[in-house]
Amino acid sequence: MWFILGLIAIAATFINLYLYAIGKDYKLAMAIGLSFTALSVVADYSMVSDWVQAEDWSALQDVVPIMAGALWVLVILSILLNITPMFLEWNNKKY
């Protein structure tokens, strides 16, 4: 589930950037991209919670250390990409 939500978040982010590039309203796509990013992180956390309940310690040891770093990087990248049009728009209005 987290993978599907992540793919939707990536698609919404690219739609956000595309809408900004062609001059259309991009804010709904930005909100969808950020929302699905949050949902994918929550789904991943839920998967880890299931492993804890099942006491699948080997899965936790194999996946969690790598996923923690990857999630930080991907969430920060998602935030930066989704708010880039707002910063560009703000910068253009300033000049």
Side-chain angles (χ1 to χ4, degrees):
M1 183 58 120
W2 64 269
F3 189 74
I4 294 169
L5 294 171
L7 290 176
I8 295 170
I10 292 168
T13 299
F14 283 117
I15 292 170
N16 172 22
L17 295 171
Y18 174 73
L19 288 174
Y20 174 76
I22 63 171
K24 301 280 184 175
D25 186 23
Y26 58 86
K27 291 181 178 127
L28 178 61
M30 177 182 61
I32 291 170
L34 290 172
S35 297
F36 275 95
T37 298
L39 289 172
S40 66
V41 170
V42 171
D44 188 54
Y45 188 83
S46 178
M47 178 183 66
V48 170
S49 174
D50 292 340
W51 289 345
V52 169
Q53 288 178 340
E55 297 182 5
D56 191 356
W57 308 122
S58 62
L60 290 167
Q61 289 175 332
D62 290 343
V63 174
V64 171
I66 296 169
M67 277 304 258
L71 285 174
W72 273 104
V73 169
L74 294 173
V75 168
I76 290 169
L77 186 63
S78 175
I79 291 169
L80 290 175
L81 284 175
N82 276 295
I83 64 173
T84 295
M86 287 180 56
F87 285 132
L88 292 173
E89 192 174 271
W90 177 69
N91 193 27
N92 288 340
K93 286 183 181 177
K94 195 168 134 179
Y95 293 108

